[in-house]
Amino acid sequence: MRLKRKDILTIEDLDRDEIGLILSTAESFKEVSDREIKKVPTLRGRTIINLFYEASTRTRTSFEIAAKRMSADAINISASSSSVVKGETLKDTAKNLEAMNPDCIVLRHPSSGTPQILSRLLRCSVINAGDGAHEHPSQALLDLLTVKQRFGKINGLKVAIVGDIAHSRVARSNIYGFIKLGARVSVAGPPTMMPSGIDKMGCGVCYNVEDAILDADVIMMLRIQLERQNGCLFPTAREYSRLFGLDSKKLEKAKKDVVILHPGPINRGIEISSDVADGEYSLILNQVKNGVAVRMALFYLLLGGSRE
Amino acid sequence: MKRLLIKGGRVIDPASGIDGIFNVYAVGGKIAAVKPHVQTPDSGPQSDDWDIIDAAGLIVCPGFIDMHTHLREPGYEYKETIQTGTMAAAAGGFTSVACMANTNPVNDNASVTRYILKKAAEEAVVKVFPVGAISKELKGEMLAEIGELKEAGCVAISDDGRPVISSALMRLALEYAKPFGLLVISHSEDIGLAADGVMNEGLISTKLGLKGIPNAKEDIMVARDIALAELTGARLHIAHISTKGAVELVRNAKQRGVNVTAEVTPHHFTLTDEAVVGYNTNTKMNPPLRTKDDIDAIKIGLQDGTIDAVVTDHAPQSIDEKDVEFDNAANGIVGLETALPLLLRLVSEGVISLSALIEKLSANPAKLLRLGGKGKLRVGADADITVIDLNKEWVVDAKNLKSKSRNTPFDGWKMKGRVVKTIVRGKVVYEW
Amino acid sequence: MVKKKSIIDEKGIERALTRIAHEIIEKNRGAEDIILLGIPTRGVHIAKRLRDILKSIENINLPVGSLDATLYRDDIGMKHDQPILKETDIPVPIDNKKIIIVDDVLFTGRTIRAAMNVIMDFGRPSSIHLAVLIDRGHRELPIRPDYVGKNVPTSTQETIKVHLKETDGIDEVVVGTDNEA
């Protein structure tokens, strides 16, 4: 079994078996991070460039640690420190990086579709580390892994994704991923945060958080991007928190074995209260841990084979 | 004196109701005669007196008039020039183009108009009719010198590329343009609604994570402009109509007797927003590619006469403006050289007759822009003629376009039907 | 045409493992501090069987782990398909312990080299031994088993398959000859 693709751009592109292979490979990689020497020589001599056009601590660090634990050479380029500020185009940046012969470019970009465009320009592998409001495939894969570890399966689970669906790449990737593996997904939040046609993506839509979490096995709270809102999509953070945020009172009505995910970074007291974020139902730190394993698996599956 | 005979073609001239096998005679750049073709060995003039084009099996019709082109000169010569743009026009069968005012400097005063016409006189392959700006620098704040623009040769006014946001200014423009007989062409969008949208709003934009542009953005402004046309009684023309709602608004307004007309581009009824999947920046344009519902409404609009004209909105952009992130890519596509075969699909689908199509490409634009002597094959009219082979199959190759830019979503498309000769004032300016 | 021949049966495997168990005790003067690490998949099952035999002899319950050396292979990036990862589970600290690597068939020795590198990344054992059910020869590295169930000289065209009840429903060792090869 092999991942027959050069790039990981979207969950939409991946089929069930491919997702299964990535998750089982990631499962094997989890153990490496628990070792005293957290490093395997597998990708010795391979070069991985983390090209980040958007601020990110968690995702970039996770990809970097994953690369280093595989013994690959990882180089980080962030928009602020590269020639991006000098007005170089994406195409030129990409072509120049390729001239240095990396094996993989991990791209985070604020414009949707940029990883696709880049992958057409480059011979090396491209991993999408989040593009605009489009997709964030490695995040969805680590979420799937986290949920699968807890429940032993994905099939048949009910997943509620709550928050700004319209601007969320995490939501889109998870909608595809959970549905492909047989879960039922519903999205919830104020109508101003529901993108047009979301109901046609195979998920239920509701505007009431209590209803959405009532029979959910998994609650995924999305980060409210306060810096992006300008108070436009909802009147105030206070009202949002009261009506759409998750707190222990709302959680009382949820299932006893419900789990809570959040892609981070969390706005404590806005979309999720501190007691819930740190509480017994929260798998937030498992997500972070699994993130490294999933990204190691992606590197292994993309770069571990021969280059034709 | 130059004498031209186009012999034995199927002549379609909607302006004079002709559709049959005729010979067209042109002398001194004017149509001299259109006579039934008689198949006798010695019929007609001798070949040494006349340039003879054998058009047997071909369509001969009035030269096309594109009332919505961007020639980019002055200011953006790296995208297109008057020379390359009119060469592209000739290759697409267009013998006249009306060029929009969003050049640099903006065509908001007579000196720019005169510059364009001077360059056109020197370098253009087809006739160029400038469209002046509605407002100074397209800023939507103060009226441009519309009277002088008219005197200098502008045939219409438009802030195309931008809407006139202020209703007050749009009203002034409509009123002021009236005595000059200038058509006011409205780029109708309510900018405030989805200002950062880059494609049609719907399932596809949601899946692609791209900011959407709802139909309402166009509908709102079309409704406003129709209300202002009704208020002022001026001649309003809706540019590049793209939504079902806008088609309905124009239809209703026409029924009420409002002086409104509309145009549509080939891409807006050929492609839907699904073409954006894959993030090809050559599918990014404004207004955006819409849905099948909208296309169906546009086709009915073409059928019932709600939509008067077909235009290209030829919008050349350099590779550097398109070979970037989708969000950052410039809007628009080149359209002059791919328009006809896309339009002929409407004929083979049975949406409109060939004659009605030719009317929307020639007689109607001539009427709207009041171009005397254009858009018809009557005796005394300019001998602007397009010859078409309906059965010619060819493949679009962006590399081989006459336009300076290559931003077409139709690269590699198999086309049927093409222009084989374009004649301007009796002179062949393009040959396949 | 592929011809297959069973060369060792259930009894034979049992006898071989019993002998290996005795040799382990002899060589290590008992079974103290020994950790059995099987190479997945069949090496792990053989390791568990050895543990059971050693328990019946010495009455000691040795830890058994699983040691997947895939990530340390020297042919990563050379094969078209990446090998599927299997479980690595080393249940106890290995510092100053006596490791016995257990595999079903010893061939080129490359897997054992990789396995030793894995072990070194986990700690510093006092010794590493190698136990295999079958040694078929053709070593490409200076590696030699300490405990061998049976030496089976083979040609490179031949295949050797160890079948175990746990994975294959039957205990036997099969030699295959591919005549077309």
Side-chain angles (χ1 to χ4, degrees):
Chain A
M1 176 86 187
R2 174 186 167 84
L3 215 47
K4 288 183 179 54
R5 46 180 76 243
K6 175 170 92 70
D7 314 299
I8 300 288
L9 303 175
T10 64
I11 299 291
E12 189 185 8
D13 285 347
L14 298 174
D15 64 31
R16 253 185 99 94
D17 291 345
E18 289 176 300
I19 295 173
L21 174 66
I22 295 167
L23 295 185
S24 64
T25 305
E27 191 66 59
S28 304
F29 272 112
K30 274 190 69 189
E31 164 268 326
V32 174
S33 294
D34 290 333
R35 295 183 191 175
E36 188 91 2
I37 295 174
K38 303 173 190 61
K39 199 178 187 81
V40 292
T42 318
L43 297 182
R44 223 151 36 97
R46 300 289 175 123
T47 306
I48 293 167
I49 296 180
N50 291 320
L51 178 57
F52 276 59
Y53 283 80
E54 216 176 48
S56 158
T57 309
R58 179 174 328 239
T59 304
R60 190 190 54 69
T61 309
S62 183
F63 270 109
E64 185 180 357
I65 287 178
K68 288 185 168 163
R69 287 189 180 160
M70 301 288 288
S71 296
D73 297 307
I75 290 99
N76 295 316
I77 302 173
S78 56
S80 56
S81 67
S82 76
S83 38
V84 172
V85 286
K86 295 174 204 152
E88 188 173 62
T89 65
L90 175 80
K91 189 182 173 187
D92 286 335
T93 303
K95 285 283 175 198
N96 277 285
L97 291 176
E98 177 155 86
M100 296 180 231
N101 206 14
D103 298 281
C104 180
I105 291 181
V106 177
L107 180 72
R108 158 73 61 97
H109 201 284
S111 290
S112 300
T114 307
Q116 273 86 338
I117 294 172
L118 195 75
S119 73
R120 291 194 289 260
L121 296 171
L122 298 180
R123 291 188 311 276
C124 70
S125 292
V126 175
I127 296 178
N128 178 6
D131 63 323
H134 180 220
E135 283 224 38
H136 192 348
S138 63
Q139 176 71 41
L141 290 165
L142 72 86
D143 291 339
L144 288 166
L145 184 63
T146 307
V147 171
K148 195 170 172 223
Q149 275 163 6
R150 170 55 62 99
F151 292 97
K153 57 166 191 178
I154 302 288
N155 193 28
L157 295 179
K158 288 182 184 163
V159 181
I161 305 177
V162 181
D164 186 357
I165 309 297
H167 294 97
S168 176
R169 52 194 171 213
V170 174
R172 283 168 180 76
S173 287
N174 271 305
I175 289 170
Y176 287 123
F178 277 99
I179 289 177
K180 278 179 197 222
L181 297 193
R184 279 205 279 152
V185 178
S186 60
V187 295
T192 50
M193 292 178 165
M194 289 297 151
S196 170
I198 184 74
D199 51 311
K200 298 189 198 94
M201 283 180 73
C203 51
V205 179
C206 79
Y207 304 125
N208 182 309
V209 174
E210 274 105 337
D211 292 349
I213 66 174
L214 199 61
D215 59 349
D217 301 292
V218 178
I219 303 172
M220 183 180 298
M221 300 306 293
L222 300 175
R223 174 179 167 77
I224 291 304
Q225 302 196 310
L226 292 165
E227 66 277 11
R228 194 181 279 172
Q229 303 309 154
N230 287 329
C232 280
L233 300 183
F234 51 84
T236 59
R238 196 187 72 84
E239 176 161 315
Y240 184 86
S241 167
R242 208 171 76 71
L243 296 181
F244 300 101
L246 188 62
D247 54 27
S248 45
K249 189 162 176 298
K250 287 201 189 84
L251 210 50
E252 278 169 15
K253 291 176 196 136
K255 279 189 174 177
K256 287 291 154 271
D257 59 346
V258 70
V259 299
I260 295 159
L261 305 183
H262 190 299
I266 59 178
N267 292 306
R268 288 175 180 267
I270 310 265
E271 71 265 6
I272 190 166
S273 65
S274 278
D275 55 341
V276 172
D278 303 333
E280 53 178 325
Y281 303 109
S282 167
L283 293 182
I284 294 173
L285 295 177
N286 300 46
Q287 290 175 275
V288 178
K289 179 174 180 168
N290 284 331
V292 175
V294 157
R295 287 158 183 138
M296 288 172 84
L298 292 178
F299 286 142
Y300 176 67
L301 292 170
L302 285 184
L303 308 181
S306 65
R307 282 181 285 179
E308 278 95 322
Chain B
M1 189 172 287
K2 199 80 198 150
R3 298 200 285 185
L4 178 71
L5 164 59
I6 305 170
K7 209 167 117 182
R10 177 180 161 198
V11 174
I12 302 177
D13 181 26
S16 43
I18 286 177
D19 184 349
I21 310 296
F22 287 85
N23 291 341
V24 179
Y25 300 81
V27 177
K30 303 275 182 195
I31 304 285
V34 179
K35 289 187 195 161
H37 177 68
V38 189
Q39 204 96 39
T40 54
D42 57 352
S43 77
Q46 292 308 298
S47 55
D48 46 346
D49 300 338
W50 293 72
D51 287 336
I52 297 178
I53 293 171
D54 181 5
L58 303 175
I59 304 293
V60 176
C61 61
F64 302 155
I65 299 165
D66 186 12
M67 57 187 291
H68 194 140
T69 299
H70 298 271
L71 292 179
R72 304 298 191 203
E73 192 174 354
Y76 305 105
E77 289 85 354
Y78 65 96
K79 302 177 197 235
E80 193 81 282
T81 61
I82 287 170
Q83 186 179 38
T84 57
T86 53
M87 280 164 64
F94 293 90
T95 54
S96 298
V97 294
C99 57
M100 287 296 164
N102 57 346
T103 48
N104 185 21
V106 170
N107 184 18
D108 60 1
N109 64 77
S111 66
V112 178
T113 308
R114 280 194 290 268
Y115 173 82
I116 292 169
L117 288 172
K118 180 170 172 284
K119 284 286 276 189
E122 290 162 3
E123 296 173 5
V125 183
V126 306
K127 181 75 182 159
V128 173
F129 293 103
V131 175
I134 290 174
S135 67
K136 277 190 185 141
E137 295 176 37
L138 306 179
K139 281 184 175 165
E141 291 162 0
M142 287 188 298
L143 288 183
E145 293 170 336
I146 294 168
E148 282 197 9
L149 287 168
K150 161 80 179 177
E151 279 174 15
C154 285
V155 293
I157 51 170
S158 178
D159 274 3
D160 184 63
R162 294 185 198 176
V164 177
I165 294 167
S166 157
S167 302
L169 187 78
M170 189 63 174
R171 175 191 181 168
L172 288 179
L174 285 160
E175 284 174 336
Y176 193 78
K178 247 167 58 166
F180 302 106
L182 283 172
L183 188 65
V184 179
I185 302 174
S186 165
H187 171 113
S188 304
E189 60 172 333
D190 180 4
I191 284 283
L193 187 65
D196 49 2
V198 294
M199 70 169 293
N200 180 57
E201 179 175 311
L203 175 62
I204 306 289
S205 66
T206 291
K207 286 174 102 175
L208 295 178
L210 291 171
K211 295 266 169 57
I213 300 173
N215 282 14
K217 191 178 188 186
E218 178 166 324
D219 300 350
I220 289 168
M221 215 51 148
V222 170
R224 181 204 75 172
D225 286 344
I226 286 172
L228 293 175
E230 207 160 7
L231 174 68
T232 58
R235 296 168 60 219
L236 171 72
H237 181 74
I238 305 296
H240 41 53
I241 203 162
S242 78
T243 67
K244 183 183 177 183
V247 173
E248 277 161 17
L249 285 162
V250 171
R251 180 182 295 119
N252 292 343
K254 282 187 165 183
Q255 279 164 3
R256 286 201 307 279
V258 182
N259 212 340
V260 61
T261 51
E263 63 181 36
V264 69
T265 73
H267 46 273
H268 281 117
F269 57 76
T270 304
L271 298 172
T272 64
D273 57 356
E274 289 184 31
V276 184
V277 174
Y279 302 94
N280 178 354
T281 55
N282 287 331
T283 61
K284 184 179 176 184
M285 63 251 330
N286 189 23
L289 297 171
R290 300 287 187 185
T291 63
K292 190 175 174 297
D293 257 13
D294 298 298
I295 288 182
D296 290 344
I298 286 168
K299 286 179 177 173
I300 294 170
L302 282 162
Q303 225 165 41
D304 68 9
T306 302
I307 299 172
D308 306 83
V310 180
V311 303
T312 68
D313 194 4
H314 179 80
Q317 304 287 7
S318 81
I319 185 101
D320 298 330
E321 290 158 318
K322 281 291 192 183
D323 223 352
V324 295
E325 300 88 340
F326 197 89
D327 284 341
N328 301 341
N331 281 314
I333 64 169
V334 291
L336 286 165
E337 293 166 78
T338 50
L340 178 70
L342 297 175
L343 291 164
L344 288 173
R345 290 168 172 229
L346 293 179
V347 177
S348 51
E349 276 173 43
V351 175
I352 52 172
S353 67
L354 184 55
S355 170
L357 172 63
I358 290 168
E359 187 175 28
K360 290 179 199 296
L361 278 166
S362 57
N364 287 359
K367 229 179 287 170
L368 290 171
L369 299 175
R370 300 191 171 167
L371 310 177
K374 301 279 183 201
K376 56 197 169 201
L377 295 178
R378 269 188 227 144
V379 173
D382 290 337
D384 292 355
I385 302 163
T386 297
V387 183
I388 303 164
D389 183 344
L390 289 178
N391 298 314
K392 190 80 161 178
E393 290 183 6
W394 60 291
V395 177
V396 179
D397 182 353
K399 287 194 305 291
N400 293 338
L401 293 178
K402 301 277 185 243
S403 170
K404 203 165 183 175
S405 292
R406 272 94 190 82
N407 49 315
T408 173
F410 303 112
D411 190 22
W413 277 43
K414 269 194 184 154
M415 299 289 199
K416 191 175 180 194
R418 81 158 288 134
V419 170
V420 290
K421 278 192 172 57
T422 306
I423 297 155
V424 175
R425 289 174 167 270
K427 199 179 132 212
V428 176
V429 295
Y430 173 79
E431 254 179 305
W432 168 251
Chain C
M1 255 267 315
V2 180
K3 278 186 191 157
K4 283 189 175 153
K5 193 175 81 185
S6 178
I7 54 163
I8 307 179
D9 61 6
E10 184 180 343
K11 268 274 165 245
I13 291 177
E14 195 187 322
R15 275 195 296 268
L17 293 181
T18 306
R19 183 168 48 73
I20 289 174
H22 281 286
E23 285 176 19
I24 289 173
I25 294 164
E26 202 178 319
K27 209 166 201 163
N28 295 281
R29 294 188 201 91
E32 284 296 306
D33 291 335
I34 289 177
I35 301 172
L36 298 164
L37 295 180
I39 308 284
T41 306
R42 289 178 185 78
V44 177
H45 294 300
I46 294 171
K48 283 177 181 165
R49 289 190 191 190
L50 283 173
R51 174 196 60 197
D52 294 344
I53 297 168
L54 287 164
K55 188 178 177 188
S56 68
I57 302 169
E58 287 287 293
N59 198 26
I60 185 169
N61 205 4
L62 296 179
V64 173
S66 168
L67 184 64
D68 179 38
T70 304
L71 296 169
Y72 289 67
R73 282 168 65 143
D74 56 11
D75 57 355
I76 289 276
M78 292 167 74
K79 291 189 167 184
H80 181 72
D81 285 13
Q82 321 77 330
I84 294 283
L85 288 194
K86 294 180 181 134
E87 189 188 26
T88 296
D89 176 24
I90 297 176
V92 290
I94 61 168
D95 285 345
N96 300 314
K97 301 289 181 185
K98 298 169 181 171
I99 302 284
I100 298 178
I101 300 172
V102 183
D103 205 355
D104 53 352
V105 179
L106 177 61
F107 189 21
T108 63
R110 287 176 190 270
T111 302
I112 302 305
R113 191 283 304 160
M116 286 193 286
N117 283 40
V118 179
I119 291 168
M120 294 308 181
D121 277 358
F122 273 84
R124 188 182 183 282
S126 60
S127 67
I128 299 177
H129 288 175
L130 171 62
V132 297
L133 184 56
I134 303 293
D135 181 353
R136 63 169 292 189
H138 304 287
R139 214 77 73 243
E140 293 169 3
L141 296 175
I143 279 170
R144 145 195 88 66
D146 300 278
Y147 316 100
V148 184
K150 188 174 170 64
N151 284 296
V152 182
T154 56
S155 76
T156 46
Q157 273 84 29
E158 285 171 316
T159 59
I160 286 238
K161 275 281 182 196
V162 172
H163 293 152
L164 296 177
K165 280 182 179 158
E166 294 91 324
T167 50
D168 312 287
I170 184 172
D171 277 356
E172 63 170 354
V173 179
V174 180
V175 181
T177 322
D178 191 345
N179 284 348
E180 285 173 23

